[in-house]
Amino acid sequence: MTRPRLLFLSLGGTITMLPDAGGGIAPKLGAAELVASVPELAGVAEVEAHSPYRLPSPSLEPGQLVEVAKRIEDGFAAGFDGAVVIQGTDTIEESAFLLDLLVADDKPVVVTGAMRGADAPGADGPANLLAAARVAASPEARGLGTLAVLNYDIHAARFVQKSHTALPSAFASPLAGPIGVVAEGRPRFYARVPRMPGLPSYGGPPRPVALLKWAMGEDGRLLGALPGLGYAGAVVEAMGAGHVPAEAAPLLGELALRMPVVLATRAMAGPVFTRTYGYAGSEIDLLGRGLIPAGFLSGLKARLLLGLALRGGGGQSTAAAAFANYR
Ligand code: ASP
């Protein structure tokens, strides 16, 4: 029987890390070594492994993920049936969402990593790699966009968040839960998510977007500096359903006259409201001042969507159209 062909791309992360001469662990292994360490992969797929980067994931840049998206699209055009992207867990929720937006093909793209180093007792990398490959090789995973597979959970890119600094069970989808599980060696899907309209992978890296988390007593004095710093837009992680102190609302309104400003929430999950609270600094006040609701997207994901949407030089209406699908 012909095995599915999978493209493995390793970007680095703890899953590739071994003790470093300078102390601590650092990226060392490449995709080929990771694949060789899991002989069971040969029973799942024919794997071609490449290591475009060997970085800790905080040093990954969105533009590098745009390149990865292109490479995956080229791989699919060349006949690969699925792709597995291996990287550090710190930024998986961002990379997975970027790939979800950028890879147009319906073939599965799965992002995975590990919470424990490659030589740590109980290293979770090998099990995560095998589970990711099983999902990427599965026809059932087609049409679901990019998925994150860790600890046997299958998460949709739009929902997944890193929720713990240490545990192998660090990944959660607080809004909707995981959409499936890998059990007895096969993926089982309990929910299907529709694909959202994508953005082209050939349009270059996202424009710079500032991400601001609002806190009690913050008056917004930082906002006036943003246009002069070269930002093309801003995302505000506001309180609760989308609220800031009354005194900050006019400043956000002024900023929204100069660049698209998206209203997200600092709460772990749930949509930003649009028509419930009417006080100064409420979501009705802020949307009336031109802010764009992020819908259910986290601030991290909203920042990436806004940065990609603004690549063509678009402004307020382009940004609003991009977020309309996430309400
Ligand atoms: N700091 C590491 C990274 O993101 C964490 C990990 O991979 O789990 O590269």
Side-chain angles (χ1 to χ4, degrees), residues 13-14 17 56-58 88-90 114-115 162:
T14 294
M17 291 192 196
S57 75
T89 60
D90 289 353
M115 294 295 291
K162 186 171 184 176

Side-chain angles (χ1 to χ4, degrees), residues 134-135 138 140-141 144 152-154 178-192:
R134 292 193 197 283
V135 174
S138 165
E140 278 182 88
L144 295 174
Y152 292 158
D153 282 319
I154 306 171
I179 63 167
V181 70
V182 181
E184 297 184 304
R186 73 174 174 90
R188 298 142 197 255
F189 291 94
Y190 299 118
R192 297 190 72 80

Side-chain angles (χ1 to χ4, degrees), residues 279-317:
Y279 56 81
S282 69
E283 83 281 1
I284 291 179
D285 182 18
L286 294 173
L287 300 182
R289 295 177 188 273
L291 275 70
I292 298 162
F296 64 79
L297 289 179
S298 68
L300 287 175
K301 294 180 203 280
R303 172 180 169 271
L304 295 170
L305 177 59
L306 182 58
L308 286 176
L310 295 179
R311 286 179 302 175
Q316 181 77 5
S317 58

Side-chain angles (χ1 to χ4, degrees), residues 69-194:
K70 278 194 217 137
R71 204 156 162 170
I72 292 171
E73 287 187 326
D74 289 347
F76 288 162
F80 283 100
D81 300 297
V84 173
V85 176
I86 301 158
Q87 71 150 78
T89 60
D90 289 353
T91 59
I92 275 184
E93 66 202 85
E94 289 161 276
S95 297
F97 188 59
L98 277 170
L99 296 175
D100 196 42
L101 292 171
L102 293 169
V103 178
D105 206 293
D106 268 352
K107 293 178 182 176
V109 179
V110 178
V111 187
T112 193
M115 294 295 291
R116 296 180 180 141
D119 72 344
D124 49 335
N128 284 347
L129 280 180
L130 187 58
R134 292 193 197 283
V135 174
S138 165
E140 278 182 88
R142 291 179 71 118
L144 295 174
T146 298
L147 303 168
V149 174
L150 297 109
N151 204 37
Y152 292 158
D153 282 319
I154 306 171
H155 299 273
R158 73 198 63 165
F159 300 135
V160 71
Q161 298 179 20
K162 186 171 184 176
S163 65
H164 198 281
T165 56
L167 296 174
S169 58
F171 283 82
S173 291
L175 184 67
I179 63 167
V181 70
V182 181
E184 297 184 304
R186 73 174 174 90
R188 298 142 197 255
F189 291 94
Y190 299 118
R192 297 190 72 80
V193 289

Side-chain angles (χ1 to χ4, degrees), residues 47-87:
V47 172
E48 188 174 308
H50 299 275
S51 308
Y53 308 109
R54 293 184 193 224
L55 291 169
S57 75
S59 291
L60 281 173
E61 290 180 15
Q64 291 171 315
L65 269 300
V66 175
E67 294 305 314
V68 169
K70 278 194 217 137
R71 204 156 162 170
I72 292 171
E73 287 187 326
D74 289 347
F76 288 162
F80 283 100
D81 300 297
V84 173
V85 176
I86 301 158
Q87 71 150 78

